[in-house]
Amino acid sequence: MVRYTWAFAALGCVSPVVSALTYESHPERLDAVAEAFQRAWNGYYTYAFPNDSLAPITKTSYNDRNGWGASAVDAISTALVMGNKKVVNEIVDHITTINFNMTSPDDTSVSLFETTIRYLAGMLSAYDFLSGPLSDLLDDPASLDTILKQAVSLADTLSVAFTTSSGVPINDLIYNGPEGPVPDRTETTNGIATIGTLVLEWTRLSDLTGDTKYAELTQTAEDYLLNVRNPGVGEPYPGLIGTDVNVTNGLFVDSSGGWNGGTDSFYEYLIKMYLYDTARFAEYKDRWSLAVDSSIKYLASHPSSRPDLTFLAAYEGAGPANLSFFSEHLACFDGGNIILGGLTLNNQGYIDFGLELVAACHDTYTATVTGIGPEIFQWQDSKLAPNATNNAAPPANQSSFYETAGFWITDPVYDLRPEVIESFYYAYRATGDSKYQDWAWEAFLHINATCSAGVGFSSVMDVNAPGGGGFYNQQESFWFAEVLKYSYLIQAEEAPWQVSAAHDNEWVFNTEAHPFRVAGTPV
Ligand SMILES: *[C@@H]1O[C@H](CO)[C@@H](O)[C@H](O)[C@H]1NC(C)=O
Ligand SMILES: *[C@@H]1O[C@H](CO)[C@@H](O)[C@H](O)[C@H]1NC(C)=O
Ligand SMILES: *[C@@H]1O[C@H](CO)[C@@H](O)[C@H](O)[C@H]1NC(C)=O
Ligand SMILES: *[C@@H]1O[C@H](CO)[C@@H](O)[C@H](O)[C@H]1NC(C)=O
Ligand SMILES: *[C@@H]1O[C@H](CO)[C@@H](O)[C@H](O)[C@H]1NC(C)=O
Ligand SMILES: *[C@@H]1O[C@H](CO)[C@@H](O)[C@H](O)[C@H]1NC(C)=O
Ligand SMILES: *[C@@H]1O[C@H](CO)[C@@H](O)[C@H](O)[C@H]1NC(C)=O
């Protein structure tokens, strides 16, 4: 074990140290995570590259991200922070060959959101690392410029998505027709996560190239989410907004939301934009605080069988009768994001609330047979009447599980998702408490034991069945980008890209865990 001491002073306070955190690195754990990365990479590179994803059991490939080599591009920033030079250069060589004007014929619908968070972000993060602190890892310096040119080529091709009368983009583009990529105009609305999780990547691209048009496109769209034009429908609680926006006029079409998939990373990026540049994105920080304050006030919910746990409810309009007491693995990023905001804004209340959410998501792992949490789960709220129509009791065959666990499982899949370990990472960086490193290590061991399959890792059908209940034979690209990165960084030595509690953050992670260099004063 290697021990580091990190001192930090309160923001705006000239008196010296008010508190000190101690971080420890665990080389043997790092080796185990690096082994998993190399094994998954070897399987992918041997049997699936340059297609998107590995089917590890059949040793075949499939294209689920348009055939541009999603697993490779998504893996690059993890290979970088692990110092895996060979893999870094294999991926760089690939990036220089991609033609973003065409897709693989077996996958021709391009998601603006997925393409931005995985491909565009992977390339921008690689550019930031290879032009900065990890430049030693690049074999051919000439390829650095090509990486940025490829990012520009991709964004130029995707820009047609913003050609709507409001400027709110259409998420899906149809490729390979005679007229080139065109927005799928049968989509008349777009969701706040897919609209609101572009602004970090496209702003970074503008800042790196000096061409403001990419930032402008995404910030124009984001403005409809920051300043809701029809708040009676679109903003049922202060700062907590609806899900779908009409791309013609920018008006919200519903009052549903929360921190689950479909809305999640819109909130995540509000505080990350402020971290990226405090001067330009102060309004985003204010909206984030408003949303978190409302979440604490209106959405925090404790299961009737385990009032010690805290989850965030979803809503379909204002008022307790409109709450839905379910959450998701995807939503478990919430604790980590609220901790990050607490660190950034010097707000211990946010940090404490985030730690409560992290503990409850940890419980979703420890309660199951595999030690891995489910895709979707539900609970009965302890404060609302047990006979309220939106406060159902668990089904009979899960009531004893609910009594001890505090939730029951409504979708038992594990898709190699990162959010629970991601939040352990932020909890550790904020507190220095080695408990969170142990939680991440135990989660990694359980995932490694359950999901290792064939020549890589596979999603599993049932986290509460022995062995995970069977494999789907699919290895998502975010396994490389996120699970393995957070599992590694939480055990790793200090580095400039590690999240810091000392108000000196020089890097911010996109929603796919690709670190970008911040543009403003570190905060
Ligand atoms: C990649 O996908 C294409 C199109 O489906 C297929 O023809 C090719 O054999 C695949 N390559 C690998 C390495 O799996
Ligand atoms: C892709 O399309 C753009 C815009 O039409 C063009 O400038 C570029 O050269 C094309 N790239 C390739 C690799 O075909
Ligand atoms: C979007 O707004 C346009 C223009 O007001 C309207 O014609 C259309 O019906 C709306 N679509 C939806 C899905 O609300
Ligand atoms: C639930 O939300 C709907 C839609 O916003 C609203 O009309 C209704 O009044 C809400 N119900 C309660 C009990 O607040
Ligand atoms: C719930 O139970 C309370 C107390 O028994 C009763 O007054 C109320 O009418 C019930 N509500 C519903 C929706 O059944
Ligand atoms: C509980 O019962 C339902 C309905 O019969 C069934 O679909 C579900 O698989 C069962 N769940 C468990 C965990 O046994
Ligand atoms: C991870 O799983 C692989 C394959 O089963 C195994 O060889 C390795 O020892 C495991 N790592 C740890 C740390 O348990």
Side-chain angles (χ1 to χ4, degrees):
M1 280 188 305
V2 187
R3 200 170 269 274
Y4 298 89
T5 300
W6 219 244
F8 65 93
L11 186 70
C13 175
V14 285
S15 68
V17 175
V18 295
S19 173
L21 292 186
T22 300
Y23 298 119
E24 287 171 13
S25 78
H26 292 275
E28 75 294 349
R29 295 179 179 181
L30 294 171
D31 288 347
V33 180
E35 182 279 326
F37 178 86
Q38 193 65 54
R39 176 156 46 96
W41 175 260
N42 291 347
Y44 168 72
Y45 202 57
T46 308
Y47 297 103
F49 179 83
N51 289 338
D52 289 332
S53 302
L54 171 69
I57 296 169
T58 50
K59 302 183 188 173
T60 53
S61 71
Y62 59 104
N63 287 315
D64 53 341
R65 297 289 158 220
N66 316 111
W68 296 321
S71 290
V73 181
D74 229 5
I76 193 166
S77 65
T78 303
L80 281 158
V81 299
M82 289 181 173
N84 191 328
K85 192 166 198 273
K86 183 160 185 284
V87 172
V88 167
N89 287 289
E90 286 167 349
I91 300 171
V92 169
D93 289 348
H94 170 65
I95 288 172
T96 63
T97 68
I98 303 171
N99 180 356
F100 286 114
N101 290 1
M102 293 171 55
T103 69
S104 168
D106 56 1
D107 192 26
T108 59
S109 173
V110 173
S111 162
L112 173 64
F113 162 76
E114 296 285 0
T115 306
T116 293
I117 67 169
R118 303 191 201 210
Y119 287 108
L120 186 62
M123 292 188 288
L124 294 173
S125 182
Y127 184 84
D128 272 341
F129 277 130
L130 292 171
S131 63
L134 297 176
S135 59
D136 287 356
L137 294 177
L138 187 63
D139 283 342
D140 175 10
S143 48
L144 185 61
D145 199 40
T146 312
I147 295 171
L148 191 58
K149 286 204 177 102
Q150 286 288 60
V152 168
S153 158
L154 176 57
D156 284 343
T157 313
L158 295 174
S159 290
V160 68
F162 296 86
T163 55
T164 62
S165 49
S166 67
V168 172
I170 288 171
N171 190 58
D172 293 303
L173 303 175
I174 307 301
Y175 266 54
N176 299 5
E179 65 285 77
V182 288
D184 179 352
R185 297 205 186 270
T186 64
E187 290 180 11
T188 56
T189 64
N190 194 359
I192 64 166
T194 42
I195 301 164
T197 319
L198 307 169
V199 63
L200 178 60
E201 293 82 356
W202 290 61
T203 300
R204 183 76 194 132
L205 183 62
S206 280
D207 290 349
L208 287 172
T209 58
D211 185 338
T212 56
K213 71 184 174 203
Y214 309 107
E216 281 162 10
L217 284 173
T218 52
Q219 289 174 26
T220 298
E222 181 88 12
D223 189 66
Y224 292 95
L225 315 184
L226 298 174
N227 298 291
V228 175
R229 308 300 201 266
N230 56 338
V233 174
E235 194 165 348
Y237 298 101
L240 289 173
I241 63 179
T243 298
D244 286 325
V245 177
N246 186 333
V247 300
T248 304
N249 54 22
L251 297 178
F252 275 83
V253 302
D254 64 58
S255 313
S256 304
W259 292 71
N260 291 321
T263 52
D264 42 8
S265 44
F266 158 68
Y267 297 106
E268 176 185 351
Y269 271 25
L270 293 177
I271 194 67
K272 287 184 169 178
M273 291 311 289
Y274 181 66
L275 197 56
Y276 179 69
D277 192 339
T278 54
R280 272 184 285 171
F281 299 105
E283 182 191 4
Y284 288 59
K285 172 257 296 173
D286 294 338
R287 292 295 292 181
W288 184 87
S289 290
L290 202 57
V292 172
D293 292 345
S294 284
S295 298
I296 293 171
K297 190 164 173 191
Y298 301 111
L299 306 185
S301 167
H302 310 291
S304 56
S305 64
R306 286 285 305 278
D308 58 305
L309 299 178
T310 307
F311 297 116
L312 293 178
Y315 53 83
E316 290 172 35
N322 277 326
L323 293 176
S324 275
F325 301 105
F326 77 97
S327 188
E328 301 176 346
H329 196 292
L330 282 168
C332 282
F333 85 98
D334 53 10
N337 185 249
I338 293 172
I339 290 168
L340 176 66
L343 284 177
T344 305
L345 304 177
N346 260 343
N347 183 318
Q348 190 62 40
Y350 291 157
I351 295 176
D352 292 342
F353 184 72
L355 292 172
E356 280 183 45
L357 297 175
V358 172
C361 286
H362 177 240
D363 178 79
T364 70
Y365 270 50
T366 55
T368 69
V369 168
T370 56
I372 306 170
E375 178 75 0
I376 308 178
F377 53 93
Q378 205 176 325
W379 65 95
Q380 188 175 42
D381 180 72
S382 63
K383 280 179 282 184
L384 211 59
N387 63 353
T389 53
N390 61 334
N391 204 24
N397 61 0
Q398 292 207 65
S399 62
S400 67
F401 181 89
Y402 176 62
E403 275 313 305
T404 52
F407 67 95
W408 68 91
I409 297 171
T410 47
D411 181 352
V413 166
Y414 176 61
D415 197 22
L416 302 176
R417 291 197 190 284
E419 292 78 17
V420 174
I421 297 176
E422 171 182 353
S423 281
F424 294 164
Y425 174 68
Y426 285 98
Y428 177 62
R429 299 303 303 179
T431 63
D433 186 340
S434 62
K435 166 175 90 178
Y436 298 111
Q437 287 181 303
D438 296 341
W439 289 3
W441 175 239
E442 285 151 18
F444 170 78
L445 288 177
H446 288 304
I447 294 168
N448 186 52
T450 306
C451 303
S452 286
V455 294
F457 292 80
S458 172
S459 49
V460 295
M461 294 173 181
D462 187 351
V463 294
N464 208 30
F471 296 113
Y472 282 110
N473 192 28
Q474 289 181 348
Q475 180 181 278
E476 271 279 0
S477 74
F478 49 65
W479 168 250
F480 289 107
E482 302 192 73
V483 181
L484 293 171
K485 186 181 289 104
Y486 290 121
S487 296
Y488 188 87
L489 288 180
I490 192 171
Q491 314 292 352
E493 58 279 8
E494 287 312 290
W497 47 87
Q498 290 274 28
V499 169
S500 169
H503 294 290
D504 57 357
N505 285 288
E506 293 170 22
W507 296 76
V508 59
F509 291 61
N510 95 321
T511 193
E512 191 83 353
H514 294 301
F516 296 167
R517 232 183 219 290
V518 306
T521 310
V523 65

